[in-house]
Amino acid sequence: EAEVAQSPRYKITEKSQAVAFWCDPISGHATLYWYRQILGQGPELLVQFQDESVVDDSQLPKDRFSAERLKGVDSTLKIQPAELGDSAMYLCASSPTGNTEAFFGQGTRLTVV
Amino acid sequence: QKEVEQDPGPLSVPEGAIVSLNCTYSNSAFQYFMWYRQYSRKGPELLMYTYSSGNKEDGRFTAQVDKSSKYISLFIRDSQPSDSATYLCAMRKVGNTPLVFGKGTRLSVIA
């Protein structure tokens, strides 16, 4: 069964350091999302891609976060510098188009110390 | 006020009980409705996906959408300890738009 792959599963980093997360969506899925989930809360959108183009990054803290999806396949989310408040689960999801259900990966749990 | 409201619980029920989980929303533009199950330290897993109003059944799970009341529900029949998880409702508008989630309801099914 096709899955969204994310790595690493867990990451501990010191504040002010740079950190990067990788996501490989289900093959053929044009839409890719990065969500952040704080413990006890629902996921909140950081950025949405359609192929290689950004559709929505209105909630992405652009002073420290960046995201790219070169060639419209896999994607990288970067934080530089990391802050204590960035500790959360970072979830990647994909869908065939923007009008269908989204499938999530297992997430990357980030702890900033 | 958030666009999607969901009681975070926790909700504790005995094995075999019927569970009812609910969300309300404020934006009438939402047309697609989903329920996800999330086990601790895992990613959300899609359970049910419905478009517009009506009911959808899949095994022990039934999803209901009442657009006139802006209210969606997930029913779990014959609940099992393995159903213990957080249940997230999510919805989206027509077009290439992101999912908007509720906070999630934490469910415990006690054997």
Side-chain angles (χ1 to χ4, degrees), chain A residues 6-22 34-39 46 61 64-66 77-92 106-113, chain B residues 41-42:
Chain A
Q6 287 190 249
S7 66
R9 287 291 315 278
Y10 304 94
K11 179 71 177 178
I12 300 174
T13 191
E14 293 182 349
K15 65 179 181 179
S16 79
Q17 295 298 305
V19 62
F21 315 127
W22 177 80
W34 283 101
Y35 281 85
R36 178 169 60 184
Q37 185 177 27
I38 295 169
L39 193 64
L46 290 173
R64 298 185 300 107
F65 286 65
S66 64
L77 178 70
K78 297 178 181 177
I79 308 174
Q80 182 174 18
E83 296 180 353
L84 295 176
D86 296 332
S87 295
M89 174 82 92
Y90 290 81
L91 294 162
C92 180
Q106 291 303 308
T108 296
R109 178 168 293 278
L110 173 68
T111 301
V112 182
V113 297
Chain B
R41 300 182 182 273
K42 302 284 189 180

Side-chain angles (χ1 to χ4, degrees), chain A residues 9 31 33 35 37 40-45 48 50 55-56 89 91 95 98-106 109, chain B residues 2 8 32 34 36 38 40-46 49 88 92-104:
Chain A
R9 287 291 315 278
T31 305
Y33 312 86
Y35 281 85
Q37 185 177 27
Q41 302 290 319
E44 294 190 338
L45 182 75
Q48 176 183 346
Q50 178 68 26
V55 173
D56 185 345
M89 174 82 92
L91 294 162
S95 61
N99 271 342
T100 56
E101 63 269 49
F103 299 91
F104 282 81
Q106 291 303 308
R109 178 168 293 278
Chain B
K2 302 203 82 167
Y32 299 90
M34 281 142 275
Y36 288 84
Q38 187 174 28
S40 181
R41 300 182 182 273
K42 302 284 189 180
E45 170 194 8
L46 181 66
Y49 171 70
L88 296 156
R92 69 174 355 142
K93 305 169 193 174
V94 173
N96 200 0
T97 59
L99 297 177
V100 180
F101 282 84
K103 292 179 70 170

Side-chain angles (χ1 to χ4, degrees), chain B residues 31-89:
Chain B
Q31 296 286 335
Y32 299 90
F33 304 92
M34 281 142 275
W35 284 95
Y36 288 84
R37 176 174 64 194
Q38 187 174 28
Y39 292 114
S40 181
R41 300 182 182 273
K42 302 284 189 180
E45 170 194 8
L46 181 66
L47 282 178
M48 302 289 281
Y49 171 70
T50 55
Y51 170 67
S52 196
S53 286
N55 293 2
K56 184 174 183 179
E57 187 173 323
D58 184 359
R60 297 185 295 111
F61 298 92
T62 299
Q64 287 186 351
V65 175
D66 181 350
K67 292 188 67 184
S68 62
S69 301
K70 296 189 181 69
Y71 189 87
I72 69 170
S73 300
L74 178 71
F75 297 96
I76 307 173
R77 291 184 298 279
D78 188 24
S79 56
Q80 303 294 310
S82 58
D83 295 327
S84 298
T86 295
Y87 290 80
L88 296 156
C89 66

